[in-house]
Amino acid sequence: MKINSCCVGAIGTNCYLVLCERRAYLIDPGAEADVISAMLDKAQFDSLRILLTHAHFDHIGAAGEIARRYHVDKVELSPADRPIYFSRDNAMPPYCPPVEDLPETTDFLPSADFTVLPMPGHSPGGSAFYFPGGNGIVFAGDSVFAGSIGRTDLWGGDLEALLASIKREILPLDDRTVLYCGHGPETSVGEEKRTNCYFR
């Protein structure tokens, strides 16, 4: 497994490309389609799937353009986040207007490469993706950050639900499991257990 990444958009969203042999998974194409395309064009793959950890505008902004360029019919998203995905209120005016020309969504498709971890809290359909290689890797979206957790004051946010998601899905993982976050640097389960007040 190989991981590439780029930081895109006004809020600095991490977009990840995971390569499993000739299978490619693009996680959270949030903005700047040309930057993401440059990352994709350097990779070699036979198939591409676009996975969304959640539907906030800063994680979906380039989904339509990337889907069209690489002939991806539908992006994969939890159905609980579809109302946010298609809402005109999903924006941060005047800096980030509503995202237009979005592709259709589908539920997460089965994969031998990763498991979907349901992580409601930051948004109703928040999801993370666990890849078991090495000590394990989680693409956590905005559920967990280095030293913090995702905000819950946005549409559909729920602090208690997010804490329950972390307790259920993240805390049982091996301490060496790497957490790739939606914003900011990567961290590990063990590091967050030691230093993150929300994990205590």
Side-chain angles (χ1 to χ4, degrees):
M1 182 172 62
K2 182 178 180 181
I3 301 168
N4 296 324
S5 67
C6 56
C7 184
V8 295
I11 306 179
T13 301
N14 292 324
C15 174
Y16 298 101
L17 176 62
V18 185
L19 299 167
C20 298
E21 296 181 351
R22 301 286 296 189
R23 299 176 299 279
Y25 303 95
L26 184 68
I27 301 172
D28 290 351
E32 299 184 74
D34 288 344
V35 173
I36 296 171
S37 290
M39 178 173 68
L40 285 164
D41 290 344
K42 292 177 182 177
Q44 295 182 342
F45 51 86
D46 297 325
S47 64
L48 174 66
R49 289 167 57 178
I50 299 175
L51 311 177
L52 302 178
T53 61
H54 63 294
H56 288 153
F57 68 91
D58 56 317
H59 290 253
I60 66 173
E65 184 61 29
I66 294 297
R68 285 188 291 274
R69 291 183 185 183
Y70 296 89
H71 309 291
V72 177
D73 292 332
K74 295 182 179 181
V75 299
E76 299 175 39
L77 174 71
S78 166
D81 259 24
R82 284 181 190 149
I84 301 174
Y85 182 81
F86 289 112
S87 173
R88 294 288 299 174
D89 295 328
N90 189 11
M92 189 181 71
Y95 309 104
C96 301
V99 182
E100 298 180 347
D101 299 322
L102 286 166
E104 291 297 317
T105 68
T106 185
D107 294 353
F108 295 113
L109 303 174
S111 173
D113 296 316
F114 70 93
T115 301
V116 178
L117 307 180
M119 296 289 298
H122 177 65
S123 70
S127 305
F129 311 115
Y130 174 78
F131 287 76
N135 297 311
I137 292 169
V138 174
F139 295 91
D142 286 2
S143 57
V144 177
F145 300 127
S148 189
I149 62 174
R151 58 189 296 181
T152 56
D153 59 338
L154 303 172
W155 181 4
D158 184 323
L159 177 59
E160 293 304 317
L162 181 55
L163 294 175
S165 296
I166 292 168
K167 181 178 181 180
R168 181 185 65 249
E169 303 293 348
I170 303 298
L171 288 179
L173 297 173
D174 190 297
D175 281 2
R176 296 168 293 179
T177 300
V178 178
L179 302 175
Y180 287 96
C181 308
H183 304 271
E186 66 196 66
T187 183
S188 70
V189 172
E191 179 66 17
E192 296 313 300
K193 285 181 179 178
R194 288 189 295 272
T195 63
N196 192 327
C197 64
Y198 292 100
F199 276 49
R200 296 171 187 165

